[in-house]
Amino acid sequence: MPRVGIGYDSHRFTTSRPMVLGGLQLDCGFGLAGHSDADAVLHAVTDAVLGAMGGPDIGELFPDTDPRWKDADSSVFLRAALERAAQANLAVVNCDVTVIAEQPKLSPHKQPMRRRLAELLGIDPSRVSVKAKTNEGMGWIGRGEGLAVIAAVLLDERTA
Ligand code: MG
């Protein structure tokens, strides 16, 4: 039986570090605050993979109190989630991501992000979607305090 998972993440903006999002460094003059590299796209995708497997969540596996994950490249978390899936004989079918942010302008980054996610997930880019929305100026996202990401991942049994 295929299994679907949903992941959500949000991080505050900060001017004290570069923006890392979707496995890419974006040159936009500000970044995301967090214990690891704060890559909200990879965190949401990681939680979607873990969620499809019935958990645990990313915070349980990689607590932000653990100094090992300080400034960590978040692809480590995604790779670990994919390894757990592989051990359960599950592979990613497709991945659908929505980034909600007023800034930075994401349209030039959607395709590179899609390719990078496909590479990390070990699937063809045609099975990955990266979409960008603003929040129409509403609420904390609208005020430019940070960004949010929603991701869905479908897992299915690996065929030999
Ligand atoms: Mg996070």
Side-chain angles (χ1 to χ4, degrees):
M1 287 288 286
R3 297 147 176 253
V4 69
I6 298 170
Y8 169 85
D9 198 26
S10 58
H11 282 264
R12 280 182 185 277
F13 291 143
T14 177
T15 52
S16 65
R17 64 200 305 212
M19 171 79 66
V20 179
L21 198 63
L24 307 174
Q25 189 163 318
L26 310 188
D27 189 18
C28 63
F30 58 99
L32 297 171
H35 184 65
S36 66
D37 66 7
D39 188 329
V41 167
L42 294 195
H43 294 179
V45 171
T46 299
D47 251 350
V49 172
L50 294 170
M53 297 175 62
D57 68 31
I58 189 172
E60 289 171 84
L61 289 182
F62 307 104
D64 63 7
T65 49
D66 189 331
R68 275 183 299 171
W69 315 125
K70 177 100 180 81
D71 299 321
D73 177 342
S74 292
S75 65
V76 168
F77 309 147
L78 180 55
R79 287 202 172 93
L82 293 168
E83 181 57 34
R84 290 173 81 94
Q87 281 169 10
N89 200 40
L90 293 165
V92 175
V93 176
N94 74 307
C95 173
D96 186 12
V97 173
T98 300
V99 183
I100 310 151
E102 304 291 333
Q103 284 185 30
K105 188 105 187 98
L106 289 167
S107 48
H109 305 297
K110 288 191 293 185
Q111 291 309 319
M113 215 175 272
R114 182 187 186 203
R115 287 192 293 271
R116 178 63 182 142
L117 276 175
E119 186 177 41
L120 289 169
L121 293 166
I123 57 178
D124 191 84
S126 67
R127 294 174 182 237
V128 179
S129 164
V130 176
K131 308 182 301 301
K133 309 277 292 177
T134 73
N135 213 38
E136 300 284 337
M138 296 182 286
W140 62 269
I141 295 175
R143 291 190 296 273
E145 293 173 20
L147 58 72
V149 180
I150 300 167
V153 166
L154 187 72
L155 300 181
D156 202 359
E157 281 173 33
R158 290 208 287 192
T159 48

